[in-house]
Amino acid sequence: MSLDPDDPDEFRAAAHRLLDACLDQFEAARDRPWQPVPGDTSAGYALDRGLGVGEAALAQRLADEVLPHGTGNTHPRFFGWVHGTGLASGLMSELVAATMNANLGGRDHGAVYIERAVIDWARGVFGFPDTASGVLVTGTSQATVIALACARLRALGPGVRQHGQGAARLTTYAGAGVHNATKKALELLGIGGGNLRCLPETRSGVDIPAMRAAIAADRADGAQPFAIIGSAGTVDLGRFDDLHALADLARDEGLWLHVDGAFGAWTRLAGTPWAGLTDGIDRADSLACDFHKWMYVPYECGMVLVRDEAAHRGAFAARPSYLAGQARGLAGGEPWFCDYGTDLSRGNRALKVWAALVAYGPDRLGAAIADNCAGAAQMGALVSDDPHMALLAPVVSNLCVFTADARLDAGAQSALNIRIAQDLQLSGAAVFSTVAIDGITALRAAITNHRTRPKDVAHAIAAVARARDAG
């Protein structure tokens, strides 16, 4: 029995129809904001009927029932959270990746060389040495686990893999806006989220003297500080830490410096003035970032870079005999990526990054990032020009956080902002998320869409004003 199509011609025709439906959806992204999934559609996803119908019927269901009901993040007025938006190159590369169905755990085949090329390129962008290692992962959450496992190995030695960390109480330091991925990573590694010290932030990032004092206090209390987390664009307000100052502190205290650059690291490509926000990132011991956010490639695709290849490999390499490398043949191709992370079986993530760089080049991608930053600045100016709106944080790169009516008390502002966010999402006018700042639940726009134009920003703020004034 085979699971290949019974009728190749029928399958080819159905696949072409589905491709056309995908292209129609892609080209009409501006006309397709998020909408709730109808109840009968979501109920129809249940796997209790309609099974085993073949590829042609599947293609029709994918086009009719699945394709129209995404998150809406491809729409140019989707400003909620920090979602990537996809690329035409991604549609093509994912088609090829699915056809190849390559396992990127290792071995000697083309996709491995493509991933190495992507990592080599990224090392150059961020100023990491040629000897640094890297691996593509699901996203910054997984990258953070990998980076902190490397940091722990350096702090406690290779025996930590066999015996655990025992009585060692490792502590980590970051600004209050650090992404929750750091806390989760510490929990997963058995270090404990309670050993993350979240310190006050200023307009220029985390308070360095406060961090230095916290490190000293923990040492005096018998703890073992081992890592500092710098943020290149906090996910709540878009703040950037002074990475040079953190690198100096890490050097002085003998600690590992990890930079969470999930989206903000890519301001490196945006030119003046935004590229300077990540000055000092080349001094980090490790960096986590996402290609699926501000490099616009399809989900999911993140990356971790590690300056000390020995610590990286030492934290994860484990080859049973059936995976032994060989001098010749398919089992060659050393090093294998499975030795640098948690996954033995790995999808072909790098192809969509490689395809984006080949199709558009870093200058064009950087120009799109710069446009997003300019859009956030435009939004901030429109908010400031409105007599009743108010910015609640400076616009640094691509995030704009504001309240729709500063005349109200904190509770009333929060209720209004939540209502407006929901109303605009449901109407299809625009998608804002919300974030709590200084006791107010504020509207938050994260502009990471290469389709966003100045008219979209103006439309969104006008929609906020109309929703506010409509009561």
Side-chain angles (χ1 to χ4, degrees), residues 152-153 156-168 170 189-191:
R152 180 175 64 175
L153 185 91
L156 299 181
V160 69
R161 292 187 62 178
Q162 180 70 20
H163 306 295
Q165 61 191 56
L170 301 177
L189 291 168
I191 295 168

Side-chain angles (χ1 to χ4, degrees), residues 102-162:
N103 181 347
L104 271 287
R107 304 171 187 87
D108 192 355
H109 53 106
V112 166
Y113 293 97
I114 286 175
E115 183 158 350
R116 289 178 190 165
V118 168
I119 292 167
D120 288 346
W121 175 80
R123 276 199 299 249
V125 169
F126 297 113
F128 272 55
D130 292 343
T131 53
S133 56
V135 65
L136 270 66
V137 293
T138 56
T140 290
S141 294
Q142 187 182 18
T144 304
V145 173
I146 292 172
L148 291 181
C150 298
R152 180 175 64 175
L153 185 91
R154 191 175 81 172
L156 299 181
V160 69
R161 292 187 62 178
Q162 180 70 20

Side-chain angles (χ1 to χ4, degrees), residues 327-361:
R328 297 187 301 141
L330 184 56
E334 293 287 352
W336 287 20
F337 284 114
C338 63
D339 288 333
Y340 295 89
T342 58
D343 298 334
L344 181 57
S345 298
R346 304 176 61 250
N348 194 352
R349 301 183 184 106
L351 183 60
K352 49 196 167 187
V353 182
W354 182 89
L357 290 167
V358 169
Y360 312 111

Side-chain angles (χ1 to χ4, degrees), residues 188-283:
L188 285 167
L189 291 168
I191 295 168
N195 287 317
L196 173 63
R197 309 291 185 248
C198 292
L199 301 162
E201 292 176 335
T202 68
R203 287 199 169 201
S204 58
V206 64
D207 186 327
I208 302 294
M211 183 175 286
R212 191 182 298 275
I215 292 168
D218 277 329
R219 282 205 172 107
D221 192 42
Q224 183 176 345
F226 85 110
I228 291 171
I229 314 296
S231 292
T234 57
V235 74
D236 54 356
L237 303 177
R239 288 174 173 158
F240 284 72
D241 285 330
D242 183 338
L243 299 180
H244 273 304
L246 287 180
D248 290 344
L249 179 60
R251 177 201 62 209
D252 295 346
E253 299 289 345
L255 306 183
W256 183 284
L257 174 60
H258 173 69
V259 174
D260 183 327
F263 66 96
W266 294 112
T267 54
R268 297 285 284 184
L269 301 180
T272 305
W274 300 289
L277 292 170
T278 57
D279 283 353
I281 203 168
D282 57 306
R283 299 176 61 191

